[in-house]
């Protein structure tokens, strides 16, 4: 018959075979992930990256073909024979129309003050007046830029289209 132990003796002895401290300090073996799991995880990361990119595109926008074409037109005609000097202007969104001034916010967030005169052509899908421009409208402004960055407009076109060139330009 086994010998009876006191309570203190029971607490001092381990009911397990071997050394428990070795079992607790041993590093667990790392299970390898199946290849399918790795491919699925890579696919999820790829799709998430694409979705984040799409959302960033929607939020921050990018230069589209029309804006790039307008920029090229305003920058000059690339050394073509008989090319006229480059006209300066701005492209953006109307923030405020105040009398003869239009405040246009560009894609970079800067606001340009556009001054207009009697000879300024304003087009809103048809010939229009300055008062026809409303905040939020996309416009292309052509004219001379001064040292402060303000533009004296010769034409303001709503809708982001390329303004027509006058014969006397």
């Amino acid at each position: 018959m086994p010998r009876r132990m006191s309570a203190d003796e029971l607490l001092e002895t381990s009911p397990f075979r071997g050394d428990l401290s070795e079992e607790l300090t041993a590093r667990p073996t790392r299970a390898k992930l199946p290849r399918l799991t790795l491919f699925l995880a890579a696919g999820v990361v790829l799709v998430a990256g694409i979705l984040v990119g799409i959302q960033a595109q929607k939020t921050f926008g990018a230069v589209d073909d029309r804006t790039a074409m307008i920029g090229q037109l305003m920058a000059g005609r690339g050394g073509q024979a008989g090319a006229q000097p480059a006209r300066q202007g701005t492209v953006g969104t109307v923030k405020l129309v105040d009398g003869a001034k239009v405040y246009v916010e560009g894609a970079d967030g800067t606001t340009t003050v556009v001054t207009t005169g009697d000879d300024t052509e304003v087009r809103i899908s048809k010939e229009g007046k300055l008062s026809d421009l409303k905040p939020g409208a996309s416009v292309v402004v052509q004219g001379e830029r001064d040292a402060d960055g303000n533009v004296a407009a010769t034409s303001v076109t709503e809708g982001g289209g390329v303004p027509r060139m006058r014969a006397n330009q």
Side-chain angles (χ1 to χ4, degrees), residues 135-151:
S138 294
V139 294
V140 175
V141 177
Q142 286 194 335
E144 297 298 323
R145 188 177 292 271
D146 64 18
D148 294 329
N150 300 327
V151 176

Side-chain angles (χ1 to χ4, degrees), residues 1-7 9-10:
M1 199 174 196
R3 164 180 158 334
R4 289 196 76 136
M5 295 186 179
S6 69
E9 289 177 327
L10 278 174

